[in-house]
Amino acid sequence: MTDVTPQQGIPAPDGASDVIDTSYEIGQDNVDGSFGPLGFDIHNPVFAISAAAIVAFVFYTLALPEQASGVFSSMFSFTTKNFDWFLIGAADLVVIFALFLIVSPFGSVRLGGADATPDYTYVGWFAMLFAAGMGIGLMFYGVSEPLTHFSTAFGDTAVGENGLRTDWAPLGAATGDEPGSIRLGMAATIYHWGLHPWAIYAMVALALALFTYNKGLPLTIRSAFYPLLGERIWGWPGHVIDIIAVFATLFGLATSLGFGATQANAGLNELFGIPIGNTTEVVLITVITAVALVSVVRGLDGGVKILSEVNMGLAGLLAIFTLIVGPTAFLFAFFWDSLKAYVEFLPALANPFGREDVNFSQGWTAFYWAWWISWSPFVGMFIARVSRGRSVREFIICVLLIPSLVCVMWMSIFGGTAIHQVLNDAYTGAQDADLPLQLFKMLDQLPLASITSFIGIVLVIVFFVTSSDSGSLVIDTITAGGKIDAPMPQRVFWCIFEGAVAIALLLGGGLAALQSMVISTGLLFTVVLLIMCYCILRGLQSERSETK
């Protein structure tokens, strides 16, 4: 079918496509109107429940910070200790499914119809998906994670009174083995930033793009469940799915914004002596949220796309500079050795059962997978918005493999430089510093340290802005019932509230509170993600039948 009228800004398929015949019209359950000059067009009840619950959460966290901090810590401990196997196993299944789609006949299906063409060039597309997907995280962990895993792997393992290991080393460690500790540390780092997170993003994005651009359904999470629920997705089953997606997205974003604020604060303190603390971080979140509002008003092409391309350019320059002025020959060899180590240790790192390295698998891996899964509605919907016209095979290869390689290069350059400073220069400034400061301590040993550190702060801030902007776009789309051209004030509302939630969590327990909320909401969305993979398969089967 090709003769389909576009609904609410969503283009009709170009060429043959298996459009779902449904009487539901995008926005039919919405409530629209205005408060003075401010218009609104919101889904009832998704917007009302999501907004009310988040407002109540912010007030609770700010009113009773000590109690909230205790609750958050209990949530984190309970989830990581009891469901680490589920999070690790689910991520493994998603990677296997993504690789299967690349080599299967389903890879030839084109998103947007058989004759659809891409809306963006490769450069613009890569810049947007990468800036949205991992920007702040790479800045925060690019130095600290390789250093941390190397250090813990080099040290001794330790067992507590309960018979469980108390050290943080991955797998069985590599005690006293310097080359072995480097390889194991980098394998663990790449495991957290390579195929697994990008496969999670790719599957959510594929589901949304397929059921929106090929099947003619609203651009919202519930649409992906049509093969399983049918017309019931327009009722409470669909409402619950979208509300879970809103919570997961908001807390995933708040976690990243909190990390960004603490790192920007650390960099400003290092360069300009600006005090470190909650007050400065609250001011930073407030100011950067205000900047994000400007980008929100400018829209996808005028805001996120331009900022993403600027950020990718700056990040590339910083990486190239570090590679050239740092231990260049060492870093080239380090990159290839790290990739080999990743392949070697991947089966053991991805094993969800019988793990002895409980601190690593629960405190690092389980948290990371919950974080990526919390981000997946946001990043997935954003990638879907900019990926129309790609074939499924091209889409997965580009979203899965290319960003994974870029992450490996980034971690190898920045983490490798810091490790080289420890081993060859006897410089432990980065190793001994707090996590938010380690990037700047590493850059401090290279030429033009003040300039590169300032660029690092700018990168954190602009990644912060693009994440907040695109996150507002995604949450607004979900709470507007799939409309992608809802009134601007709604996007502004969500942009402000993302900042408010990040502030509330920082004041109510710091980064530990952020981690606790993201792992709890990520656990809920993991179930949604696994069911979504089954629905993708069903959707691609019908699409192949239509286009043969």
Side-chain angles (χ1 to χ4, degrees):
M1 296 174 62
T2 58
D3 186 17
V4 178
T5 302
Q7 295 192 65
Q8 305 299 343
I10 296 175
D14 293 327
S17 187
D18 180 40
V19 178
I20 290 174
D21 183 14
T22 176
S23 59
Y24 184 86
E25 294 185 7
I26 298 175
Q28 74 174 39
D29 294 329
N30 284 19
V31 177
D32 59 355
S34 63
F35 288 114
L38 304 178
F40 63 87
D41 190 350
I42 55 178
H43 186 279
N44 181 33
V46 173
F47 180 93
I49 294 176
S50 301
I54 292 164
V55 169
F57 169 82
V58 170
F59 277 111
Y60 166 70
T61 306
L62 293 177
L64 300 169
E66 292 185 7
Q67 184 185 91
S69 179
V71 171
F72 297 148
S73 297
S74 299
M75 290 167 57
F76 184 85
S77 178
F78 176 80
T79 305
T80 55
K81 288 180 180 178
N82 292 282
F83 294 100
D84 57 323
W85 63 271
F86 177 65
L87 290 164
I88 295 171
D92 293 343
L93 291 174
V94 172
V95 172
I96 293 169
F97 182 61
L99 295 175
F100 161 74
L101 290 182
I102 291 176
V103 299
S104 74
F106 300 124
S108 61
V109 173
R110 188 163 294 277
L111 301 175
D115 300 329
T117 56
D119 296 330
Y120 297 96
T121 64
Y122 277 117
V123 173
W125 188 40
F126 289 153
M128 285 190 286
L129 71 89
F130 195 79
M134 289 192 171
I136 291 176
L138 283 178
M139 296 300 296
F140 194 87
Y141 285 109
V143 169
S144 64
E145 190 167 352
L147 264 182
T148 299
H149 295 328
F150 158 71
S151 300
T152 56
F154 189 73
D156 290 327
T157 59
V159 179
E161 294 180 0
N162 57 2
L164 298 177
R165 275 176 49 186
T166 57
D167 63 275
W168 286 80
L171 301 180
T175 306
D177 180 359
E178 190 176 280
S181 298
I182 293 174
R183 298 183 75 251
L184 180 56
M186 284 305 297
T189 300
I190 297 169
Y191 170 55
H192 290 153
W193 294 88
L195 295 178
H196 282 71
W198 285 101
I200 291 167
Y201 292 162
M203 288 305 98
V204 176
L206 176 59
L208 291 167
L210 177 67
F211 285 95
T212 299
Y213 298 131
N214 295 66
K215 309 296 187 182
L217 299 181
L219 184 63
T220 188
I221 304 297
R222 72 175 74 198
S223 295
F225 290 79
Y226 195 93
L228 191 65
L229 298 174
E231 292 294 309
R232 286 176 293 168
I233 67 168
W234 314 125
W236 274 104
H239 300 340
V240 171
I241 290 168
D242 279 350
I243 291 169
I244 291 173
V246 171
F247 289 158
T249 302
L250 196 73
F251 289 117
L253 275 168
T255 300
S256 295
L257 301 186
F259 283 142
T262 56
Q263 187 171 35
N265 190 181
L268 291 170
N269 174 264
E270 182 77 1
L271 284 181
F272 306 113
I274 294 174
I276 290 178
N278 284 343
T279 301
T280 304
E281 289 167 8
V282 168
V283 170
L284 277 170
I285 292 174
T286 303
V287 171
I288 296 170
T289 299
V291 176
L293 287 175
V294 177
S295 182
V296 163
V297 172
R298 288 182 59 86
L300 185 65
D301 291 336
V304 176
K305 181 174 180 290
I306 293 174
L307 286 175
S308 297
E309 290 176 346
V310 169
N311 233 23
M312 285 298 292
L314 283 175
L317 286 174
L318 184 61
I320 292 170
F321 174 82
T322 305
L323 176 64
I324 292 173
V325 304
T328 307
F330 171 84
L331 293 179
F332 275 113
F334 189 79
F335 170 78
W336 292 111
D337 288 343
S338 298
L339 268 181
K340 293 175 186 175
Y342 170 60
V343 173
E344 176 186 338
F345 288 107
L346 180 59
L349 290 167
N351 173 31
F353 303 110
R355 297 288 290 267
E356 295 181 2
D357 53 343
V358 289
N359 279 340
F360 174 81
S361 61
Q362 295 175 3
W364 278 99
T365 304
F367 163 67
Y368 264 137
W369 289 175
W371 189 13
W372 301 147
I373 291 168
S374 288
W375 262 57
S376 64
F378 148 51
V379 180
M381 187 175 292
F382 186 75
I383 293 174
R385 283 284 302 267
V386 299
S387 299
R388 188 177 184 274
R390 309 286 177 184
S391 72
V392 169
R393 184 172 292 111
E394 174 191 19
F395 173 86
I396 296 178
I397 289 174
C398 291
V399 175
L400 180 61
L401 300 181
I402 294 176
S404 294
L405 284 174
V406 172
C407 287
V408 176
M409 285 190 285
W410 183 274
M411 293 293 184
S412 297
I413 291 171
F414 290 92
T417 300
I419 290 173
H420 186 273
Q421 290 173 350
V422 172
L423 299 180
N424 293 74
D425 304 332
Y427 172 73
T428 61
Q431 189 178 36
D432 297 337
D434 292 335
L435 290 187
L437 194 56
Q438 289 184 334
L439 170 67
F440 304 107
K441 288 295 186 182
M442 182 276 289
L443 292 173
D444 191 49
Q445 296 301 295
L446 302 179
L448 306 176
S450 296
I451 295 174
T452 55
S453 293
F454 183 74
I455 291 174
I457 295 171
V458 171
L459 279 168
V460 171
I461 290 173
V462 180
F463 276 132
F464 194 142
V465 171
T466 54
S467 297
S468 181
D469 184 352
S470 46
S472 305
L473 180 74
V474 167
I475 295 176
D476 180 46
T477 301
I478 298 173
T479 56
K483 288 189 175 183
I484 62 175
D485 55 357
M488 182 62 64
Q490 294 173 205
R491 210 174 303 162
V492 171
F493 168 83
W494 287 114
C495 185
I496 293 171
F497 252 81
E498 287 159 20
V501 171
I503 289 171
L505 285 169
L506 280 173
L507 296 178
L511 290 180
L514 291 164
Q515 292 173 328
S516 300
M517 289 308 301
V518 79
I519 199 166
S520 301
T521 53
L523 179 65
L524 284 175
F525 200 78
T526 303
V527 178
V528 175
L529 175 64
L530 292 175
I531 300 172
M532 191 179 286
C533 289
Y534 166 76
C535 295
I536 289 172
L537 191 60
R538 290 278 301 275
L540 288 174
Q541 286 173 339
S542 65
E543 201 69 17
R544 280 273 297 169
S545 299
E546 179 70 22
T547 56
K548 279 184 178 178

